[in-house]
Amino acid sequence: MPTTYQSSRCSTGAVPVYKETGVFHDSATYEAANASAIVANDVIQMVPIPGGNAPNGVEVIDVILTTDDCGTATADVGDGDDPDYLIDGADIGAAAGCVARRGSGVSVLAAAGFPKIYTTNDTIDITIASSSANVVGTIRLDVFMRAL
């Protein structure tokens, strides 16, 4: 059964303050230690989205996933409704690390419905799509949003 983990940005319950105009950014880093047992299908809730705090919601306009060598694994980035909505199949096990951006050559962007508008608070999550062993390493997610 998949396990859900949380970055410190999500575990504190703090929701980022949105800017009424312009783009704002939030990020989180998760350290997957040797003792952790993060495996395929596990979820890491990374960055909170303050959709319920903005009058007309928040639009996620870009994400960047950065990792060091996390073992033999691939990861998806999305939310609870669609785990690979933003990035599908990023190779987080590459020896040189991984940088995947929504729509980059490393990832596959969902064809329809982007950008997604959040009218309630939510999180952007990383789902370990596949792994041959426990995932160990540093995972960072940057999310760029704007209030509507």
Side-chain angles (χ1 to χ4, degrees), residues 24-46:
F24 61 103
H25 163 264
D26 199 4
S27 65
T29 300
Y30 187 85
E31 295 288 338
N34 288 329
S36 72
I38 297 177
V39 296
N41 298 316
D42 284 351
V43 175
I44 307 168
Q45 295 176 330
M46 290 292 287

Side-chain angles (χ1 to χ4, degrees), residues 35-109:
S36 72
I38 297 177
V39 296
N41 298 316
D42 284 351
V43 175
I44 307 168
Q45 295 176 330
M46 290 292 287
V47 176
I49 304 300
N53 297 10
N56 297 305
V58 169
E59 180 178 53
V60 172
I61 58 175
D62 204 358
V63 296
I64 302 171
L65 171 66
T66 311
T67 70
D68 58 9
D69 178 359
C70 289
T72 305
T74 60
D76 299 332
V77 178
D79 56 30
D81 293 332
D82 192 347
D84 63 359
Y85 179 71
L86 297 165
I87 295 176
D88 185 10
D91 182 5
I92 63 172
C98 170
V99 176
R101 188 171 187 174
R102 178 195 65 80
S104 71
V106 175
S107 62
V108 178
L109 171 63

Side-chain angles (χ1 to χ4, degrees), residues 5-30:
Y5 300 88
Q6 292 183 322
S7 72
S8 60
R9 290 291 299 128
C10 288
S11 64
T12 61
V15 176
V17 176
Y18 74 92
K19 290 184 179 178
E20 290 187 20
T21 59
V23 174
F24 61 103
H25 163 264
D26 199 4
S27 65
T29 300
Y30 187 85

